[in-house]
Amino acid sequence: MSSPIRILLSALLVGLALPVSAQDIFAEVRDDRGEVVQIAQQPQRVASLGVFGADMMLALGKSAVGTTTYNGQLPAYLGARPDTMADLGIEPQPNLERLTELQPDLIIGIRRYTEPWADSFAPIAPYIAYDMLTEADSTRAVSSVAVALGAVGTGEKLNAEFEQMKAQMAEQAPGGVSAVFVWLWQDTLYAYYDHVMPASFFSPLKVRNTMGSNPTPELPENFGGPVSYEDILAQDPDVLIVFRAEGNAYPDHPALRRLRAVREGRAWHVGYQYSQPAGPVARKIILQEMAHLLYPDVFADPALPDQVRAEPLRFEN
Amino acid sequence: MTPDDPKQRLILPFFLLTLLLILVCAVLTLTQGRFATGLADLPTALLDRAEVTDTGFAVRQLRLPRAVMAVLAGAALGVAGALMQAITRNPLADPGLTGVTAGAAFAVVLGFTLLGVSQAGLLVLGTVGGALSGALTFALAAQRGFNPAHLILAGVAVAAFCLSGINVLLLLGATSMNSAWFWLVGGLANRTWQDVGHLWPMVLPVLVLVWLTSRRLDLLLLDDDTSRGIGLHAGRWRLIFGLCSVVLTAGCVATCGPIGFIGLLAPHVARMGLGGAVSHRLLIPASALAGAAILSVADALAASRLIFPTEIPTGIPAILIGAGMFLLLFRNGLRVGR
């Protein structure tokens, strides 16, 4: 038998030996659970458990069919309305009935919240989950989800653009600034270590995070810790970035008013996107805004809608 | 108790010892923190009325209110516990038994997560929430003539309702679970003079009122028929003392979060320190001092960073101390009543 005929026959035999389902697979991705997830067809109806999936769809010029919310509130930066994007409840306990009704063909979730529900998602649609705490997590998730959505190469492109923007900012950032990123709950301050987004953006911007690094690096999910007002007063950062959930009261503690950042008008209350910064849109606008808040003379104020942009920290009285 | 009674000899040492413990803890609280403050610096810092230095500010605005809160809240919880143990005739009763702790915590969480209430508003809301829960418990118990068993059952039901409400609010609310958990364990860190100003008007008058009427507590330990025979309206006094416990506890939870074990433990420590069963005339101030001392020690430990590298909520060492001392008390045999 001549060589070309032999090759042709071999190829035919290999083709016949492949299972039908393998031929039908549209994409195959490995998520942060270590699961290899096969997606049969290009997803058209993506359900986002956590904001990342919706953010990723926005980056691709599309829209998720539903997302989890904070008490019914959609993140303003997504520009979504409740009538266009269904409310799927809260991240730790998504509304499975609503999720089923939506008939999604892909479910994207934050691993630490949604993994316990993986078995419940299986009959509804393929489910992929990511850690989304650090910049490396974000990079990995963007690449992987882009493949799952059929935008092969787009994930790498988004990541490369972000890295390029970060590198340019790093060149321009003069340094010599200290800052801290805190959550405020009642009178408890909770500050982020520097391995977790968005506090991790301090490093490329040559900013010293006064909270420092994770004392237990073997536990990357140890993303922050409570700080006393005396601690924060001793740290006295140049810039204070505060995430205060929408609808919660403004702070009213004498130690906060004494901080240099507050006295000099460099304490900021930032928007919802800072609570889930892993998406390609969120991380970009956060980095641009943080650069401006940290170095207002060097970086221009990014053009953001009013509901999204940071506001000077206000006090109750 | 006669002057020759051996218990008489224990009164002064117990009161002096607890006062000394409170004082030592207060000094520790005033000198611990990120701004180094030696004993010698303390008078200068305390007298720095303009709060020019950060040390002066930290001592006067952060540490001193904290030490005062430990005494006020500890005393309030200690007395609230003694009241609950007397009116229910149950040595394991604590102020949370009326549902007031869970009710106050529910109100604070509701105010923060959904209503966006200010810090000052939360203090009021927490107190009102606790008082309403306590009132609901007593209203339920009133249907059975304030029978102690029914009071406990009603309190358990109200507390369970409020606790499930807290869980729902935390799941629904736009909040960081870690920070919420920090508050729900109970603590004195970051308390201000505003908190002291909210708590003392509730605590001091009630403590005085309870002490002045404390002989009725002794009589409540008798069965209801005997009490009635000597002219005491047991149901009415149970309600009055129960409401006093509710006010004391609601104020504490609104300002410090739900700190456990103090109310349960302090009356037993007082009895142990005083050598056994004593009149409530003695037990009430002794429970107040014991509660203040236990909470002061727990808070000094929480702030010291001896247990963990970071400061922990006061509620954690309070529970550790409480559990350890309770085991000790169990070994010696718990005493109910006086």
Side-chain angles (χ1 to χ4, degrees):
Chain A
M1 205 185 308
S2 67
S3 184
I5 293 172
R6 198 182 298 151
I7 291 169
L8 193 65
L9 278 175
S10 303
L12 191 62
L13 283 171
V14 168
L16 287 172
L18 276 174
V20 176
S21 59
Q23 290 180 11
D24 290 346
I25 289 171
F26 168 75
E28 184 176 86
V29 293
R30 182 185 292 273
D31 70 3
D32 283 356
R33 297 172 298 157
E35 297 283 331
V36 176
V37 180
Q38 295 180 335
I39 297 156
Q41 57 195 19
Q42 181 162 20
Q44 303 296 328
R45 298 179 60 78
V46 172
S48 178
L49 306 181
V51 176
F52 179 84
D55 185 311
M56 193 70 201
M57 292 294 279
L58 181 67
L60 298 175
K62 299 174 183 174
S63 178
V65 290
T67 182
T68 49
T69 60
Y70 272 172
N71 198 25
Q73 293 173 1
L74 289 165
Y77 81 94
L78 293 177
R81 298 191 316 273
D83 56 338
T84 59
M85 201 185 291
D87 179 354
L88 292 174
I90 52 175
E91 284 149 32
Q93 193 172 356
N95 185 333
L96 292 177
E97 197 171 320
R98 188 80 186 94
L99 186 64
T100 309
E101 276 174 8
L102 281 178
Q103 297 182 322
D105 46 22
L106 181 64
I107 300 170
I108 303 170
I110 299 177
R111 182 186 174 190
R112 60 187 173 282
Y113 294 135
T114 54
E115 195 172 12
W117 302 96
D119 290 345
S120 305
F121 299 145
I124 305 172
Y127 157 67
I128 47 179
Y130 300 88
D131 291 335
M132 302 181 201
L133 269 178
T134 66
E135 287 180 50
D137 294 341
S138 169
T139 303
R140 197 172 56 249
V142 168
S143 295
S144 177
V145 172
V147 171
L149 293 172
V152 180
T154 309
E156 278 71 22
K157 187 166 166 268
L158 288 168
N159 285 332
E161 282 171 2
F162 181 67
E163 288 303 319
Q164 193 184 358
M165 187 174 85
K166 209 162 59 173
Q168 282 172 355
M169 286 181 166
E171 271 180 30
Q172 289 175 268
V177 171
S178 62
V180 68
F181 178 84
V182 295
W183 272 72
L184 188 65
W185 198 93
Q186 225 242 13
D187 56 2
T188 301
L189 290 174
Y190 204 87
Y192 277 19
Y193 297 124
D194 54 15
H195 70 295
V196 176
M197 286 190 294
S200 63
F201 295 160
F202 287 149
S203 175
L205 292 171
K206 298 179 192 146
V207 172
R208 182 175 63 83
N209 178 9
T210 59
M211 186 59 179
S213 54
N214 181 4
T216 55
E218 68 279 9
L219 298 171
E221 293 214 352
N222 182 17
F223 52 86
V227 282
S228 71
Y229 280 90
E230 190 167 336
D231 281 337
I232 206 108
L233 201 58
Q235 294 171 8
D236 206 12
D238 298 311
V239 180
L240 178 70
I241 300 176
V242 178
F243 181 78
R244 181 189 62 91
E246 204 57 51
N248 290 172
Y250 290 100
D252 185 26
H253 198 285
L256 274 184
R257 293 177 195 272
R258 195 177 171 90
L259 288 175
R260 192 155 40 95
V262 173
R263 284 187 278 118
E264 294 177 359
R266 302 189 71 187
W268 301 94
H269 160 218
V270 292
Y272 181 101
Q273 65 275 15
Y274 284 71
S275 75
Q276 288 194 28
V281 179
R283 68 187 183 185
K284 189 175 162 189
I285 60 177
I286 292 170
L287 183 61
Q288 286 173 329
E289 185 173 63
M290 274 176 69
H292 171 69
L293 300 180
L294 294 160
Y295 306 107
D297 298 334
V298 179
F299 297 103
D301 191 356
L304 296 173
D306 284 348
Q307 311 94 298
V308 177
R309 64 191 309 124
E311 295 172 350
L313 186 65
R314 280 169 50 192
F315 286 86
E316 193 63 41
N317 297 305
Chain B
M1 197 164 19
T2 64
D4 298 329
D5 191 328
K7 286 178 192 168
Q8 186 78 38
R9 291 200 299 272
L10 292 172
I11 296 171
L12 192 62
F14 175 80
F15 278 65
L16 285 178
L17 194 68
T18 45
L19 281 171
L20 182 68
L21 197 55
I22 291 167
L23 189 68
V24 169
C25 290
V27 171
L28 279 174
T29 301
L30 291 174
T31 51
Q32 288 183 128
R34 287 291 294 268
F35 298 104
T37 318
L39 260 182
D41 309 321
L42 211 47
T44 318
L46 284 167
L47 293 171
D48 180 12
R49 298 184 72 165
E51 289 157 6
V52 179
T53 62
D54 283 336
T55 306
F57 177 84
V59 169
R60 289 170 59 91
Q61 295 292 337
L62 301 174
R63 301 179 196 169
L64 191 55
R66 179 175 185 157
V68 174
M69 284 295 288
V71 175
L72 270 178
L77 290 171
V79 171
L83 290 174
M84 285 310 298
Q85 288 171 16
I87 63 177
T88 60
R89 298 188 203 123
N90 183 345
L92 295 178
D94 87 343
L97 209 61
T98 53
V100 62
T101 305
F106 172 72
V108 170
V109 174
L110 175 73
F112 189 81
T113 54
L114 290 189
L115 305 180
V117 175
S118 69
Q119 178 67 21
L122 288 177
L123 296 178
V124 176
L125 193 66
T127 309
V128 171
L132 285 177
S133 304
L136 179 61
T137 300
F138 281 100
L140 292 170
Q143 294 171 1
R144 299 296 181 101
F146 289 109
N147 175 298
H150 287 110
L151 183 62
I152 292 170
L153 281 175
V156 167
V158 171
F161 178 79
C162 293
L163 289 173
S164 63
I166 290 172
N167 288 331
V168 169
L169 287 171
L170 288 178
L171 284 171
L172 292 177
T175 185
S176 151
M177 295 293 275
N178 282 328
S179 308
W181 172 85
F182 201 78
W183 185 85
L184 283 169
V185 174
L188 298 174
N190 304 334
R191 297 303 176 267
T192 62
W193 288 115
Q194 185 185 35
D195 297 293
V196 175
H198 178 81
L199 190 57
W200 80 259
M202 281 191 286
V203 170
L204 294 186
V206 175
L207 290 188
V208 172
L209 176 74
V210 169
W211 186 70
L212 290 175
T213 54
S214 55
R215 293 189 72 86
R216 271 81 171 188
L217 284 166
D218 295 340
L219 299 176
L220 281 180
L221 297 178
L222 306 170
D223 68 72
D224 286 2
D225 290 337
T226 313
S227 308
R228 202 173 301 118
I230 56 174
L232 181 81
H233 195 306
R236 183 183 302 159
W237 281 101
R238 232 176 244 130
L239 176 65
I240 291 169
F241 287 125
L243 290 178
C244 287
S245 171
V246 163
V247 172
L248 292 172
T249 312
C252 288
V253 179
T255 49
C256 310
I259 297 176
F261 253 113
I262 307 288
L264 174 61
L265 186 67
H268 292 292
V269 170
R271 287 187 198 99
M272 189 174 70
L274 294 173
V278 291
S279 139
H280 277 91
R281 195 84 170 182
L282 262 181
L283 185 66
I284 291 298
S287 298
L289 280 175
I294 296 167
L295 192 53
S296 296
V297 171
D299 191 50
L301 268 176
S304 70
R305 307 181 188 218
L306 283 174
I307 304 176
F308 292 103
T310 180
E311 182 167 341
I312 53 171
T314 314
I316 293 175
I319 290 170
L320 290 176
I321 292 170
M325 290 186 80
F326 219 67
L327 287 174
L328 193 71
L329 286 165
F330 264 120
R331 224 182 61 174
N332 295 339
L334 279 177
R335 290 182 187 87
V336 67
R338 295 176 180 183

